[in-house]
Coordinates of all heavy atoms in Angstrom, one line a residue:
A358 N 36.5 -38.6 -10.8 CA 36.5 -39.0 -9.4 C 37.5 -38.1 -8.6 O 38.5 -37.7 -9.1 CB 37.0 -40.5 -9.2
R359 N 37.0 -37.7 -7.5 CA 37.8 -36.7 -6.7 C 38.1 -37.4 -5.3 O 37.2 -38.1 -4.7 CB 37.1 -35.4 -6.4 CG 36.9 -34.6 -7.7 CD 36.0 -33.4 -7.4 NE 34.7 -33.8 -7.1 CZ 33.7 -32.9 -6.7 NH1 34.0 -31.7 -6.5 NH2 32.5 -33.4 -6.5
H360 N 39.3 -37.2 -4.8 CA 39.7 -37.8 -3.5 C 39.7 -36.6 -2.5 O 40.5 -35.7 -2.7 CB 41.1 -38.4 -3.6 CG 41.1 -39.6 -4.6 ND1 40.7 -40.9 -4.2 CD2 41.5 -39.7 -5.9 CE1 40.8 -41.7 -5.3 NE2 41.3 -40.9 -6.3
L361 N 38.9 -36.7 -1.5 CA 38.8 -35.7 -0.5 C 39.6 -36.1 0.7 O 39.5 -37.2 1.3 CB 37.3 -35.5 -0.1 CG 36.4 -35.2 -1.3 CD1 35.0 -35.1 -0.8 CD2 36.8 -33.9 -2.0
G362 N 40.5 -35.2 1.1 CA 41.3 -35.5 2.3 C 40.6 -34.9 3.5 O 40.4 -33.7 3.7
V363 N 40.2 -35.8 4.5 CA 39.6 -35.4 5.7 C 40.4 -35.8 6.8 O 40.9 -37.0 7.0 CB 38.2 -36.0 5.8 CG1 37.5 -35.6 7.1 CG2 37.3 -35.7 4.6
A364 N 40.8 -34.9 7.7 CA 41.6 -35.2 8.9 C 40.9 -36.2 9.8 O 39.8 -36.0 10.2 CB 42.0 -33.9 9.6
P365 N 41.6 -37.3 10.2 CA 41.0 -38.2 11.1 C 41.0 -37.7 12.6 O 41.5 -36.7 12.9 CB 41.9 -39.5 11.0 CG 43.2 -38.9 10.7 CD 42.9 -37.7 9.8
D366 N 40.3 -38.5 13.4 CA 40.2 -38.1 14.8 C 41.6 -38.2 15.4 O 42.2 -39.3 15.4 CB 39.2 -39.0 15.5 CG 39.0 -38.6 17.0 OD1 39.5 -37.5 17.4 OD2 38.3 -39.3 17.7
P367 N 42.1 -37.1 16.0 CA 43.5 -37.2 16.5 C 43.6 -38.1 17.8 O 44.7 -38.6 18.1 CB 43.8 -35.7 16.9 CG 42.5 -35.1 17.1 CD 41.6 -35.8 16.2
D368 N 42.5 -38.3 18.5 CA 42.6 -39.2 19.7 C 42.6 -40.6 19.3 O 42.9 -41.5 20.2 CB 41.4 -38.8 20.6 CG 41.5 -37.4 21.1 OD1 42.6 -36.9 21.2 OD2 40.4 -36.8 21.4
G369 N 42.1 -41.0 18.2 CA 42.0 -42.4 17.8 C 42.9 -42.7 16.7 O 42.6 -42.5 15.5
S370 N 44.1 -43.2 16.9 CA 45.1 -43.5 15.9 C 44.8 -45.0 15.4 O 44.6 -45.9 16.2 CB 46.5 -43.4 16.4 OG 46.7 -44.3 17.5
V371 N 44.8 -45.2 14.1 CA 44.5 -46.5 13.5 C 45.8 -47.0 12.9 O 46.4 -46.3 12.0 CB 43.4 -46.3 12.4 CG1 43.1 -47.6 11.8 CG2 42.2 -45.6 13.0
P372 N 46.2 -48.2 13.2 CA 47.4 -48.8 12.6 C 47.3 -48.9 11.1 O 46.2 -49.0 10.6 CB 47.6 -50.1 13.3 CG 46.8 -50.0 14.6 CD 45.6 -49.0 14.3
A373 N 48.4 -49.0 10.4 CA 48.4 -49.1 9.0 C 47.9 -50.4 8.5 O 47.4 -50.5 7.3 CB 49.8 -48.8 8.4
Y374 N 47.9 -51.5 9.3 CA 47.5 -52.8 8.8 C 46.0 -53.0 9.0 O 45.5 -54.0 8.6 CB 48.3 -53.9 9.6 CG 48.1 -53.8 11.1 CD1 47.0 -54.4 11.7 CD2 49.1 -53.2 11.9 CE1 46.9 -54.3 13.1 CE2 48.9 -53.1 13.2 CZ 47.8 -53.7 13.9 OH 47.7 -53.6 15.2
V375 N 45.3 -52.0 9.5 CA 43.8 -52.2 9.7 C 43.2 -52.0 8.4 O 43.4 -51.0 7.6 CB 43.3 -51.2 10.8 CG1 41.8 -51.3 10.8 CG2 43.9 -51.5 12.1
S376 N 42.2 -52.9 8.0 CA 41.5 -52.8 6.7 C 40.5 -51.7 6.7 O 39.9 -51.4 7.8 CB 40.9 -54.2 6.4 OG 40.1 -54.1 5.2
W377 N 40.2 -51.2 5.6 CA 39.1 -50.2 5.5 C 37.8 -50.8 5.8 O 36.8 -50.1 6.2 CB 39.1 -49.6 4.1 CG 40.2 -48.6 3.8 CD1 41.3 -48.4 4.6 CD2 40.3 -47.6 2.8 NE1 42.1 -47.4 4.1 CE2 41.5 -46.9 3.0 CE3 39.5 -47.3 1.7 CZ2 41.9 -45.9 2.1 CZ3 39.9 -46.3 0.8 CH2 41.1 -45.6 1.0
W378 N 37.6 -52.0 5.6 CA 36.3 -52.7 5.8 C 36.0 -52.7 7.3 O 34.8 -52.6 7.7 CB 36.3 -54.1 5.3 CG 36.4 -54.2 3.8 CD1 37.5 -54.5 3.0 CD2 35.3 -53.9 2.9 NE1 37.2 -54.4 1.7 CE2 35.9 -54.1 1.6 CE3 34.0 -53.6 3.0 CZ2 35.2 -53.9 0.4 CZ3 33.3 -53.4 1.8 CH2 33.8 -53.6 0.6
T379 N 37.0 -52.9 8.1 CA 36.8 -53.0 9.5 C 37.2 -51.8 10.3 O 37.0 -51.7 11.5 CB 37.5 -54.3 10.1 OG1 38.9 -54.1 9.8 CG2 37.0 -55.5 9.4
G380 N 37.8 -50.9 9.7 CA 38.3 -49.7 10.4 C 37.2 -48.7 10.7 O 36.0 -48.8 10.3
P381 N 37.5 -47.7 11.6 CA 36.5 -46.8 12.0 C 36.1 -45.9 10.8 O 36.9 -45.6 9.9 CB 37.2 -46.0 13.1 CG 38.6 -46.1 12.8 CD 38.8 -47.5 12.3
V382 N 34.9 -45.3 10.9 CA 34.3 -44.5 9.8 C 34.7 -43.0 10.1 O 34.6 -42.6 11.3 CB 32.8 -44.7 9.8 CG1 32.2 -43.7 8.7 CG2 32.4 -46.1 9.4
V383 N 35.1 -42.4 9.1 CA 35.4 -40.9 9.3 C 34.2 -40.1 8.9 O 33.6 -40.3 7.8 CB 36.6 -40.5 8.4 CG1 36.9 -39.0 8.5 CG2 37.8 -41.3 8.8
D384 N 33.8 -39.3 9.8 CA 32.6 -38.4 9.5 C 33.0 -37.3 8.6 O 33.8 -36.5 8.9 CB 32.1 -37.8 10.8 CG 31.5 -38.9 11.7 OD1 31.0 -39.9 11.2 OD2 31.5 -38.7 13.0
V385 N 32.4 -37.3 7.4 CA 32.6 -36.2 6.4 C 31.5 -35.2 6.5 O 30.3 -35.5 6.6 CB 32.6 -36.8 4.9 CG1 32.8 -35.7 3.9 CG2 33.6 -37.9 4.9
P386 N 31.8 -33.9 6.6 CA 30.7 -32.8 6.8 C 29.8 -32.9 5.6 O 30.2 -33.3 4.4 CB 31.5 -31.5 6.8 CG 32.9 -31.9 7.3 CD 33.1 -33.3 6.7
V387 N 28.6 -32.5 5.8 CA 27.5 -32.6 4.8 C 27.9 -31.7 3.6 O 27.7 -32.0 2.4 CB 26.2 -32.2 5.4 CG1 25.1 -32.2 4.3 CG2 25.8 -33.2 6.5
A388 N 28.4 -30.5 3.9 CA 28.7 -29.5 2.9 C 29.8 -30.1 2.0 O 29.8 -29.9 0.7 CB 29.1 -28.2 3.5
L389 N 30.8 -30.7 2.6 CA 31.9 -31.3 1.8 C 31.4 -32.5 1.0 O 31.9 -32.7 -0.1 CB 33.0 -31.7 2.7 CG 34.3 -32.2 2.1 CD1 34.9 -31.2 1.2 CD2 35.3 -32.6 3.2
R390 N 30.5 -33.3 1.6 CA 30.1 -34.5 0.9 C 29.1 -34.2 -0.2 O 29.2 -34.9 -1.3 CB 29.3 -35.4 2.0 CG 28.9 -36.7 1.4 CD 28.4 -37.7 2.5 NE 27.2 -37.2 3.1 CZ 27.1 -36.8 4.4 NH1 28.2 -36.8 5.1 NH2 26.0 -36.3 4.9
E391 N 28.3 -33.2 -0.1 CA 27.3 -32.9 -1.1 C 27.8 -31.9 -2.2 O 27.5 -32.0 -3.3 CB 26.0 -32.4 -0.5 CG 25.3 -33.4 0.3 CD 24.0 -32.9 0.8 OE1 23.7 -31.7 0.6 OE2 23.2 -33.7 1.4

Side-chain angles (χ1 to χ4, degrees):
R359 291 175 293 172
H360 299 277
L361 305 176
V363 181
D366 186 6
D368 297 334
S370 59
V371 181
Y374 56 83
V375 176
S376 172
W377 283 15
W378 294 102
T379 58
V382 178
V383 177
D384 293 331
V385 180
V387 176
L389 183 61
R390 184 171 65 247
E391 294 185 353

